Coordinates of all heavy atoms in Angstrom, one line a residue:
M1 N 16.0 0.4 -5.2 CA 15.6 0.8 -6.5 C 16.2 2.1 -6.9 O 16.4 3.0 -6.1 CB 14.1 0.8 -6.5 CG 13.4 1.7 -5.5 SD 11.6 1.6 -5.5 CE 11.3 0.0 -4.7
A2 N 16.4 2.3 -8.2 CA 17.1 3.5 -8.6 C 16.1 4.7 -8.6 O 16.5 5.8 -8.3 CB 17.6 3.3 -10.0
K3 N 14.9 4.5 -9.0 CA 13.9 5.6 -9.0 C 13.5 6.0 -7.6 O 13.5 5.1 -6.7 CB 12.7 5.1 -9.8 CG 12.9 4.8 -11.2 CD 12.6 6.1 -12.0 CE 12.7 5.8 -13.5 NZ 12.4 7.0 -14.3
S4 N 13.3 7.2 -7.5 CA 12.8 7.7 -6.2 C 11.3 7.7 -6.1 O 10.7 8.5 -6.8 CB 13.4 9.1 -5.8 OG 12.9 10.0 -6.7
V5 N 10.8 6.7 -5.5 CA 9.3 6.6 -5.4 C 9.0 6.9 -3.9 O 9.5 6.4 -3.0 CB 8.8 5.2 -5.7 CG1 7.3 5.1 -5.5 CG2 9.2 4.8 -7.1
E6 N 8.1 7.9 -3.8 CA 7.7 8.3 -2.5 C 6.3 7.8 -2.2 O 5.4 7.8 -3.0 CB 7.7 9.8 -2.4 CG 7.7 10.4 -1.1 CD 7.9 11.9 -1.1 OE1 7.2 12.6 -1.9 OE2 8.7 12.4 -0.3
I7 N 6.1 7.2 -1.0 CA 4.8 6.7 -0.6 C 4.1 7.8 0.2 O 4.7 8.2 1.2 CB 4.9 5.4 0.2 CG1 5.6 4.3 -0.7 CG2 3.6 4.9 0.6 CD1 5.8 3.0 0.0
K8 N 3.0 8.2 -0.3 CA 2.2 9.2 0.5 C 0.8 9.2 0.0 O 0.5 8.8 -1.1 CB 2.8 10.6 0.3 CG 2.8 11.1 -1.1 CD 3.4 12.5 -1.2 CE 3.3 13.1 -2.6 NZ 4.0 14.4 -2.7
C9 N -0.1 9.7 0.9 CA -1.5 9.8 0.6 C -1.7 10.7 -0.6 O -1.2 11.9 -0.6 CB -2.3 10.3 1.8 SG -4.0 10.5 1.4
P10 N -2.4 10.3 -1.7 CA -2.6 11.1 -2.8 C -3.6 12.3 -2.5 O -3.7 13.3 -3.2 CB -3.3 10.2 -3.8 CG -3.8 9.0 -3.1 CD -2.9 8.9 -1.8
E11 N -4.3 12.2 -1.4 CA -5.2 13.3 -1.0 C -4.6 14.3 -0.1 O -4.7 15.5 -0.4 CB -6.4 12.7 -0.3 CG -7.3 11.7 -1.1 CD -8.0 12.5 -2.3 OE1 -8.3 13.6 -2.1 OE2 -8.1 11.8 -3.3
C12 N -3.9 13.9 0.9 CA -3.4 14.9 1.9 C -1.9 14.9 2.0 O -1.3 15.8 2.6 CB -4.0 14.6 3.3 SG -3.3 13.2 4.1
G13 N -1.2 13.9 1.4 CA 0.3 13.9 1.4 C 0.9 13.3 2.7 O 2.1 13.3 2.8
W14 N 0.0 12.7 3.5 CA 0.5 12.0 4.7 C 1.4 10.8 4.3 O 1.1 10.1 3.4 CB -0.6 11.5 5.6 CG -0.1 10.7 6.8 CD1 0.4 11.2 7.9 CD2 -0.2 9.3 7.0 NE1 0.7 10.2 8.8 CE2 0.4 9.0 8.2 CE3 -0.7 8.3 6.2 CZ2 0.5 7.7 8.7 CZ3 -0.5 7.0 6.7 CH2 0.0 6.7 7.9
K15 N 2.6 10.7 4.9 CA 3.5 9.6 4.6 C 3.4 8.5 5.7 O 3.5 8.8 6.9 CB 4.9 10.1 4.5 CG 5.1 11.0 3.3 CD 6.5 11.6 3.3 CE 6.6 12.7 2.3 NZ 7.9 13.4 2.4
P16 N 3.2 7.3 5.3 CA 3.2 6.2 6.3 C 4.5 6.2 7.1 O 5.6 6.4 6.5 CB 3.1 4.9 5.4 CG 2.5 5.4 4.1 CD 3.0 6.8 3.9
D17 N 4.4 5.9 8.4 CA 5.5 6.0 9.3 C 6.1 4.7 9.6 O 6.9 4.6 10.6 CB 5.1 6.8 10.5 CG 3.8 6.2 11.2 OD1 3.4 5.1 10.8 OD2 3.3 6.9 12.0
G18 N 5.7 3.6 8.9 CA 6.2 2.3 9.2 C 5.6 1.6 10.3 O 5.9 0.5 10.7
Q19 N 4.5 2.2 10.9 CA 3.8 1.6 12.0 C 2.6 0.7 11.4 O 2.1 1.0 10.3 CB 3.3 2.6 12.9 CG 4.3 3.5 13.6 CD 5.3 2.6 14.4 OE1 4.9 1.8 15.2 NE2 6.6 2.7 14.1
P20 N 2.2 -0.3 12.1 CA 1.1 -1.1 11.7 C -0.2 -0.5 11.9 O -0.9 -0.7 13.0 CB 1.3 -2.4 12.5 CG 2.0 -2.0 13.8 CD 2.9 -0.8 13.4
H21 N -0.7 0.3 11.0 CA -1.9 1.1 11.2 C -3.1 0.4 10.6 O -4.2 0.9 10.8 CB -1.8 2.5 10.5 CG -0.8 3.4 11.2 ND1 -1.0 3.9 12.4 CD2 0.3 4.0 10.7 CE1 0.0 4.7 12.8 NE2 0.8 4.8 11.7
W22 N -2.9 -0.6 9.8 CA -4.0 -1.2 9.0 C -4.5 -2.5 9.6 O -3.7 -3.4 9.9 CB -3.6 -1.3 7.5 CG -3.3 0.0 6.9 CD1 -4.3 0.8 6.3 CD2 -2.1 0.8 7.0 NE1 -3.7 2.0 5.9 CE2 -2.4 2.0 6.3 CE3 -0.9 0.6 7.5 CZ2 -1.4 3.0 6.2 CZ3 0.1 1.5 7.4 CH2 -0.2 2.7 6.7
Q23 N -5.8 -2.6 9.7 CA -6.4 -3.9 10.2 C -7.2 -4.5 9.1 O -8.0 -3.9 8.4 CB -7.3 -3.6 11.4 CG -7.8 -4.9 12.0 CD -8.5 -4.7 13.3 OE1 -8.9 -3.6 13.7 NE2 -8.6 -5.7 14.1
C24 N -6.9 -5.8 8.9 CA -7.6 -6.6 7.9 C -9.0 -7.0 8.4 O -9.2 -7.0 9.7 CB -6.8 -7.8 7.5 SG -7.5 -8.9 6.3
S25 N -9.8 -7.5 7.5 CA -11.1 -8.0 8.0 C -11.0 -9.2 8.8 O -11.9 -9.6 9.5 CB -12.0 -8.2 6.8 OG -11.4 -9.0 5.8
C26 N -9.8 -9.9 8.7 CA -9.6 -11.1 9.5 C -9.1 -10.7 11.0 O -8.9 -11.6 11.8 CB -8.6 -12.0 8.9 SG -6.8 -11.4 9.0
G27 N -8.8 -9.4 11.2 CA -8.4 -9.0 12.5 C -6.9 -8.7 12.6 O -6.4 -8.1 13.6
Y28 N -6.1 -9.1 11.6 CA -4.7 -9.0 11.6 C -4.3 -7.5 11.4 O -5.0 -6.8 10.6 CB -4.0 -9.8 10.6 CG -2.5 -9.9 10.7 CD1 -1.9 -10.7 11.6 CD2 -1.7 -9.1 9.9 CE1 -0.5 -10.8 11.7 CE2 -0.3 -9.1 10.0 CZ 0.3 -10.0 10.9 OH 1.6 -10.0 11.0
I29 N -3.3 -7.0 12.2 CA -2.9 -5.6 12.0 C -1.4 -5.6 11.6 O -0.6 -6.3 12.1 CB -3.0 -4.9 13.4 CG1 -4.5 -4.9 13.8 CG2 -2.5 -3.5 13.3 CD1 -4.7 -4.3 15.2
W30 N -1.2 -4.8 10.5 CA 0.2 -4.8 10.0 C 0.4 -3.5 9.2 O -0.5 -2.7 9.0 CB 0.4 -6.0 9.1 CG -0.1 -5.9 7.6 CD1 0.7 -5.9 6.5 CD2 -1.4 -5.8 7.2 NE1 -0.1 -5.8 5.4 CE2 -1.4 -5.8 5.8 CE3 -2.7 -5.8 7.8 CZ2 -2.5 -5.7 5.0 CZ3 -3.8 -5.7 7.0 CH2 -3.7 -5.6 5.6
D31 N 1.6 -3.3 8.7 CA 2.0 -2.2 7.8 C 1.8 -2.6 6.4 O 2.5 -3.4 5.8 CB 3.4 -1.8 8.0 CG 3.9 -0.7 7.0 OD1 3.0 -0.2 6.3 OD2 5.1 -0.4 7.0
T32 N 0.7 -2.2 5.8 CA 0.3 -2.7 4.5 C 1.3 -2.4 3.4 O 1.3 -3.0 2.3 CB -1.1 -2.1 4.1 OG1 -1.7 -2.8 3.0 CG2 -1.1 -0.6 3.9
F33 N 2.1 -1.4 3.6 CA 3.1 -1.0 2.6 C 4.3 -1.9 2.5 O 5.1 -1.9 1.6 CB 3.5 0.5 2.7 CG 2.4 1.4 2.4 CD1 1.6 2.0 3.4 CD2 2.0 1.7 1.1 CE1 0.6 2.8 3.2 CE2 0.9 2.5 0.8 CZ 0.2 3.0 1.9
Q34 N 4.4 -2.8 3.5 CA 5.4 -3.8 3.4 C 5.0 -5.0 2.6 O 5.8 -5.8 2.2 CB 5.7 -4.3 4.9 CG 6.1 -3.2 5.8 CD 7.3 -3.6 6.6 OE1 7.5 -4.7 6.9 NE2 8.1 -2.6 7.0
T35 N 3.7 -5.1 2.3 CA 3.3 -6.3 1.5 C 2.4 -5.9 0.3 O 1.7 -6.7 -0.3 CB 2.4 -7.1 2.4 OG1 1.3 -6.4 2.9 CG2 3.1 -7.6 3.6
A36 N 2.6 -4.6 -0.1 CA 1.8 -4.1 -1.3 C 0.3 -4.3 -1.2 O -0.4 -4.6 -2.1 CB 2.3 -4.7 -2.6
G37 N -0.2 -4.2 0.1 CA -1.6 -4.3 0.3 C -2.2 -5.6 0.5 O -3.4 -5.8 0.6
R38 N -1.3 -6.6 0.7 CA -1.8 -8.0 1.0 C -1.7 -8.3 2.4 O -0.6 -8.1 3.0 CB -1.0 -9.0 0.2 CG -1.6 -10.4 0.3 CD -0.6 -11.5 -0.3 NE -0.6 -11.3 -1.8 CZ -1.5 -12.0 -2.6 NH1 -2.4 -12.8 -2.1 NH2 -1.4 -11.8 -3.9
C39 N -2.7 -8.9 3.0 CA -2.7 -9.3 4.4 C -1.8 -10.5 4.6 O -2.0 -11.5 3.9 CB -4.1 -9.6 4.9 SG -4.1 -10.3 6.6
P40 N -0.8 -10.4 5.5 CA 0.1 -11.6 5.6 C -0.6 -12.8 6.3 O -0.1 -13.9 6.2 CB 1.2 -11.0 6.5 CG 1.0 -9.5 6.6 CD -0.4 -9.3 6.3
A41 N -1.7 -12.5 7.0 CA -2.3 -13.6 7.8 C -3.3 -14.4 6.9 O -3.3 -15.6 6.9 CB -3.1 -13.0 9.0
C42 N -4.1 -13.7 6.1 CA -5.1 -14.4 5.4 C -5.0 -14.3 3.9 O -5.7 -14.8 3.1 CB -6.5 -14.0 5.8 SG -7.0 -12.4 5.2
S43 N -4.0 -13.5 3.4 CA -3.6 -13.3 2.0 C -4.7 -12.5 1.3 O -4.7 -12.5 0.0 CB -3.4 -14.6 1.3 OG -2.2 -15.2 1.8
K44 N -5.6 -11.8 2.0 CA -6.5 -11.0 1.3 C -5.8 -9.8 0.6 O -4.9 -9.2 1.3 CB -7.6 -10.4 2.3 CG -8.6 -9.5 1.6 CD -9.5 -9.0 2.7 CE -10.4 -7.8 2.2 NZ -11.6 -8.3 1.5
Q45 N -6.1 -9.6 -0.6 CA -5.5 -8.5 -1.3 C -6.4 -7.2 -1.3 O -7.5 -7.3 -1.8 CB -5.3 -8.8 -2.8 CG -4.6 -7.8 -3.6 CD -3.2 -7.5 -3.1 OE1 -2.3 -8.3 -3.1 NE2 -2.9 -6.2 -2.7
W46 N -5.9 -6.2 -0.7 CA -6.6 -4.9 -0.6 C -6.4 -4.0 -1.7 O -5.2 -3.6 -1.9 CB -6.3 -4.3 0.8 CG -6.9 -5.0 1.9 CD1 -6.3 -6.1 2.5 CD2 -8.1 -4.8 2.6 NE1 -7.1 -6.5 3.5 CE2 -8.2 -5.8 3.6 CE3 -9.1 -3.9 2.4 CZ2 -9.3 -5.9 4.4 CZ3 -10.3 -4.0 3.2 CH2 -10.3 -4.9 4.2
E47 N -7.4 -3.8 -2.5 CA -7.3 -2.9 -3.7 C -7.0 -1.4 -3.2 O -6.4 -0.7 -3.9 CB -8.5 -2.9 -4.6 CG -8.6 -4.2 -5.4 CD -7.6 -4.2 -6.5 OE1 -7.3 -3.2 -7.1 OE2 -6.9 -5.3 -6.7
R48 N -7.6 -1.1 -2.1 CA -7.6 0.3 -1.6 C -6.9 0.3 -0.2 O -7.0 -0.7 0.5 CB -9.0 0.9 -1.5 CG -9.6 1.1 -2.9 CD -11.0 1.7 -2.8 NE -11.5 2.0 -4.1 CZ -11.3 3.1 -4.7 NH1 -10.7 4.1 -4.1 NH2 -11.8 3.3 -5.9
T49 N -6.3 1.4 0.1 CA -5.6 1.5 1.4 C -6.0 2.8 2.0 O -5.9 3.9 1.4 CB -4.1 1.5 1.2 OG1 -3.6 0.2 0.7 CG2 -3.3 1.8 2.5
A50 N -6.6 2.7 3.2 CA -7.1 3.9 3.9 C -5.9 4.8 4.4 O -4.9 4.3 4.8 CB -8.0 3.5 5.0
C51 N -6.2 6.1 4.4 CA -5.3 7.0 5.0 C -5.6 6.9 6.5 O -6.7 6.4 6.9 CB -5.5 8.4 4.5 SG -4.2 9.6 4.9
I52 N -4.7 7.4 7.4 CA -4.9 7.2 8.8 C -5.0 8.5 9.6 O -4.0 9.1 9.9 CB -3.7 6.4 9.4 CG1 -3.5 5.1 8.6 CG2 -3.9 6.1 10.9 CD1 -4.6 4.1 8.7
P53 N -6.2 8.9 9.8 CA -6.4 10.2 10.5 C -5.7 10.3 11.9 O -5.2 11.3 12.2 CB -8.0 10.3 10.6 CG -8.5 9.3 9.8 CD -7.5 8.2 9.5
S54 N -5.7 9.2 12.6 CA -5.2 9.2 13.9 C -3.7 9.4 14.0 O -3.1 9.7 15.0 CB -5.6 8.0 14.7 OG -5.1 6.8 14.0
A55 N -3.0 9.2 12.8 CA -1.6 9.3 12.7 C -1.2 10.6 12.0 O -0.1 10.8 11.6 CB -1.0 8.1 12.0
G56 N -2.2 11.4 11.7 CA -2.0 12.7 11.0 C -2.4 12.8 9.6 O -2.3 13.8 8.9
G57 N -3.1 11.7 9.1 CA -3.6 11.7 7.8 C -5.0 12.2 7.7 O -5.5 12.8 8.6
C58 N -5.7 11.8 6.6 CA -7.1 12.2 6.4 C -8.0 10.9 6.3 O -7.5 9.9 6.6 CB -7.2 13.0 5.1 SG -6.8 12.0 3.6
T59 N -9.2 11.1 5.9 CA -10.1 10.0 5.9 C -10.3 9.4 4.5 O -11.2 8.7 4.2 CB -11.5 10.4 6.4 OG1 -11.9 11.5 5.6 CG2 -11.4 10.8 7.9
A60 N -9.4 9.7 3.6 CA -9.5 9.2 2.2 C -9.2 7.7 2.2 O -8.6 7.1 3.1 CB -8.5 9.9 1.3
F61 N -9.7 7.0 1.1 CA -9.6 5.6 1.0 C -9.1 5.3 -0.5 O -9.9 4.7 -1.2 CB -10.9 4.9 1.3 CG -10.8 3.4 1.5 CD1 -9.7 2.8 2.1 CD2 -11.9 2.6 1.2 CE1 -9.6 1.5 2.3 CE2 -11.8 1.2 1.4 CZ -10.7 0.7 2.0
P62 N -7.9 5.7 -0.8 CA -7.5 5.7 -2.2 C -7.0 4.3 -2.6 O -6.7 3.4 -1.8 CB -6.3 6.6 -2.3 CG -6.1 7.2 -0.9 CD -6.9 6.3 0.0
L63 N -6.9 4.1 -3.9 CA -6.3 2.8 -4.5 C -4.9 2.7 -3.9 O -4.2 3.7 -3.8 CB -6.3 2.9 -6.0 CG -7.7 2.7 -6.7 CD1 -7.5 3.0 -8.2 CD2 -8.2 1.3 -6.5
H64 N -4.5 1.5 -3.6 CA -3.2 1.3 -3.1 C -2.1 1.8 -4.0 O -1.2 2.5 -3.5 CB -2.9 -0.2 -2.8 CG -1.7 -0.5 -2.1 ND1 -1.6 -0.4 -0.7 CD2 -0.4 -0.9 -2.5 CE1 -0.3 -0.7 -0.3 NE2 0.4 -1.0 -1.4
L65 N -2.2 1.6 -5.3 CA -1.2 2.1 -6.2 C -1.1 3.6 -6.3 O -0.1 4.2 -6.6 CB -1.4 1.5 -7.6 CG -1.1 0.1 -7.8 CD1 -1.4 -0.4 -9.2 CD2 0.4 -0.2 -7.5
D66 N -2.2 4.3 -5.9 CA -2.2 5.7 -5.9 C -1.3 6.3 -4.8 O -1.0 7.5 -4.9 CB -3.6 6.3 -5.8 CG -4.4 6.1 -7.1 OD1 -3.8 5.8 -8.1 OD2 -5.6 6.3 -7.1
W67 N -0.9 5.5 -3.9 CA 0.0 6.0 -2.8 C 1.4 6.1 -3.3 O 2.2 6.8 -2.6 CB -0.1 5.0 -1.6 CG -1.3 5.1 -0.8 CD1 -2.5 4.6 -1.1 CD2 -1.4 5.7 0.5 NE1 -3.4 4.9 0.0 CE2 -2.7 5.6 0.9 CE3 -0.5 6.4 1.3 CZ2 -3.2 6.1 2.2 CZ3 -0.9 6.9 2.5 CH2 -2.2 6.7 2.9
Y68 N 1.7 5.5 -4.4 CA 3.1 5.5 -4.8 C 3.3 6.7 -5.8 O 3.0 6.6 -7.0 CB 3.5 4.2 -5.5 CG 3.4 3.0 -4.5 CD1 2.2 2.4 -4.3 CD2 4.6 2.6 -3.9 CE1 2.2 1.3 -3.4 CE2 4.5 1.5 -3.0 CZ 3.3 0.9 -2.8 OH 3.2 -0.2 -1.9
D69 N 3.9 7.7 -5.3 CA 4.1 8.9 -6.1 C 5.4 8.8 -6.9 O 6.5 8.5 -6.3 CB 4.2 10.2 -5.2 CG 4.2 11.4 -6.0 OD1 3.5 11.5 -7.0 OD2 4.9 12.4 -5.6
G70 N 5.4 8.9 -8.2 CA 6.6 8.8 -9.0 C 6.8 7.4 -9.5 O 7.8 7.0 -10.1
L71 N 5.8 6.6 -9.3 CA 5.8 5.2 -9.7 C 5.7 5.1 -11.2 O 4.8 5.6 -11.8 CB 4.7 4.4 -9.1 CG 4.7 2.9 -9.2 CD1 5.9 2.3 -8.4 CD2 3.4 2.3 -8.6
D72 N 6.7 4.5 -11.9 CA 6.6 4.4 -13.3 C 6.0 3.0 -13.7 O 5.7 2.2 -12.8 CB 8.0 4.6 -14.0 CG 9.0 3.6 -13.6 OD1 8.6 2.5 -13.1 OD2 10.2 3.8 -13.7
E73 N 5.9 2.8 -15.0 CA 5.2 1.6 -15.4 C 5.9 0.3 -15.0 O 5.3 -0.7 -14.7 CB 5.1 1.7 -17.0 CG 4.0 2.6 -17.4 CD 2.6 2.3 -16.7 OE1 2.2 1.2 -16.8 OE2 2.1 3.2 -16.2
W74 N 7.2 0.4 -15.0 CA 8.0 -0.8 -14.7 C 7.7 -1.3 -13.2 O 7.4 -2.4 -13.0 CB 9.5 -0.6 -14.8 CG 10.3 -1.8 -14.5 CD1 10.7 -2.8 -15.4 CD2 10.9 -2.1 -13.2 NE1 11.4 -3.7 -14.7 CE2 11.6 -3.3 -13.4 CE3 10.9 -1.5 -12.0 CZ2 12.3 -3.9 -12.4 CZ3 11.6 -2.1 -11.0 CH2 12.3 -3.3 -11.1
L75 N 7.6 -0.3 -12.4 CA 7.3 -0.6 -11.0 C 5.9 -1.0 -10.8 O 5.6 -1.9 -10.0 CB 7.7 0.6 -10.1 CG 9.1 0.8 -9.8 CD1 9.4 2.2 -9.2 CD2 9.6 -0.3 -8.8
R76 N 5.0 -0.4 -11.6 CA 3.6 -0.9 -11.5 C 3.5 -2.4 -11.8 O 2.8 -3.1 -11.2 CB 2.8 -0.1 -12.5 CG 2.4 1.3 -11.9 CD 1.4 2.0 -12.8 NE 1.1 3.3 -12.3 CZ 0.2 3.6 -11.4 NH1 -0.6 2.6 -11.0 NH2 0.0 4.8 -11.0
E77 N 4.3 -2.8 -12.9 CA 4.2 -4.2 -13.3 C 4.8 -5.0 -12.2 O 4.3 -6.1 -11.9 CB 5.0 -4.4 -14.6 CG 4.3 -3.8 -15.8 CD 5.1 -3.9 -17.0 OE1 6.2 -4.6 -17.0 OE2 4.8 -3.2 -18.0
E78 N 5.8 -4.6 -11.5 CA 6.4 -5.3 -10.4 C 5.4 -5.5 -9.3 O 5.3 -6.6 -8.7 CB 7.7 -4.6 -9.8 CG 8.9 -4.7 -10.7 CD 9.3 -6.2 -10.8 OE1 9.8 -6.7 -9.8 OE2 9.2 -6.8 -11.9
L79 N 4.7 -4.5 -9.0 CA 3.7 -4.5 -7.9 C 2.6 -5.5 -8.3 O 2.1 -6.2 -7.5 CB 3.2 -3.1 -7.6 CG 4.1 -2.3 -6.7 CD1 3.6 -0.9 -6.6 CD2 4.1 -2.9 -5.3
E80 N 2.2 -5.4 -9.6 CA 1.1 -6.3 -10.0 C 1.6 -7.8 -9.9 O 0.8 -8.6 -9.5 CB 0.8 -6.0 -11.5 CG 0.0 -4.7 -11.8 CD -1.4 -4.8 -11.1 OE1 -1.9 -5.9 -11.0 OE2 -1.8 -3.7 -10.7
R81 N 2.8 -8.0 -10.1 CA 3.4 -9.3 -10.0 C 3.3 -9.8 -8.6 O 2.9 -10.9 -8.3 CB 4.8 -9.4 -10.6 CG 5.3 -10.8 -10.8 CD 6.7 -10.7 -11.5 NE 7.6 -9.9 -10.7 CZ 8.3 -10.3 -9.6 NH1 8.1 -11.5 -9.1 NH2 9.1 -9.5 -9.0
I82 N 3.7 -8.9 -7.7 CA 3.6 -9.2 -6.2 C 2.2 -9.5 -5.8 O 1.9 -10.5 -5.1 CB 4.2 -8.1 -5.4 CG1 5.7 -7.9 -5.7 CG2 3.9 -8.3 -3.9 CD1 6.3 -6.7 -5.1
R83 N 1.3 -8.7 -6.3 CA -0.1 -8.8 -6.0 C -0.7 -10.1 -6.4 O -1.6 -10.7 -5.8 CB -0.9 -7.6 -6.5 CG -0.7 -6.4 -5.8 CD -0.8 -5.2 -6.7 NE -2.1 -5.2 -7.4 CZ -3.1 -4.4 -7.0 NH1 -3.0 -3.5 -6.1 NH2 -4.2 -4.4 -7.7
Q84 N -0.2 -10.6 -7.6 CA -0.7 -11.9 -8.1 C -0.1 -13.1 -7.4 O -0.5 -14.2 -7.7 CB -0.5 -11.9 -9.6 CG -1.4 -11.0 -10.4 CD -0.9 -10.7 -11.8 OE1 -0.1 -11.4 -12.3 NE2 -1.5 -9.7 -12.4
G85 N 0.8 -12.8 -6.5 CA 1.3 -13.9 -5.6 C 2.4 -14.7 -6.3 O 2.1 -15.9 -6.7
A86 N 3.6 -14.2 -6.4 CA 4.7 -15.0 -6.9 C 5.0 -16.1 -5.9 O 4.9 -15.9 -4.7 CB 5.9 -14.1 -7.0
P87 N 5.3 -17.3 -6.4 CA 5.6 -18.4 -5.5 C 6.8 -18.1 -4.5 O 7.8 -17.5 -5.0 CB 6.0 -19.5 -6.4 CG 5.6 -19.1 -7.8 CD 5.5 -17.6 -7.8
A88 N 6.6 -18.5 -3.3 CA 7.7 -18.2 -2.3 C 8.9 -19.0 -2.5 O 8.8 -20.1 -3.0 CB 7.1 -18.4 -0.9
Ligands
LIG1 ZN1 -6.4 -10.8 6.8
LIG2 ZN1 -4.7 11.3 3.5

């Protein structure tokens, strides 16, 4: 993408390190930023994404979209489209 969008915690500025820090209620563990907040196992869409204190972050639980710093409207629409589940 042409725009520089940085993914970081809106509260503390922690940047996800590409590791699977997030666990779904179904038990699956993955990197939620690879799927825009959707669990690959059960397809649950997470509106919010927790920051990870054990990886250097804080205990905030912000909206997933709030993690994208510099995200413009076009990209927001793209993410919304992904979230609504484009046919594979
Ligand atoms: Zn799940
Ligand atoms: Zn944080």
Side-chain angles (χ1 to χ4, degrees):
M1 57 185 77
K3 293 268 186 180
S4 63
V5 176
E6 198 171 43
I7 299 177
K8 64 181 183 184
C9 174
E11 295 294 328
C12 72
W14 177 75
K15 294 176 187 172
D17 51 12
Q19 298 302 306
H21 290 298
W22 293 269
Q23 182 167 22
C24 183
S25 51
C26 75
Y28 190 80
I29 297 173
W30 84 113
D31 173 9
T32 191
F33 291 100
Q34 302 223 334
T35 60
R38 183 189 293 271
C39 173
C42 73
S43 295
K44 179 182 168 87
Q45 180 65 59
W46 289 84
E47 284 292 316
R48 291 176 177 272
T49 293
C51 196
I52 306 296
S54 61
C58 65
T59 56
F61 194 34
L63 286 169
H64 188 80
L65 285 178
D66 285 348
W67 282 78
Y68 296 84
D69 190 37
L71 192 65
D72 63 18
E73 283 308 307
W74 182 85
L75 281 167
R76 281 188 183 273
E77 287 173 14
E78 284 295 294
L79 280 172
E80 286 297 329
R81 192 172 57 76
I82 292 169
R83 285 150 55 106
Q84 284 159 18

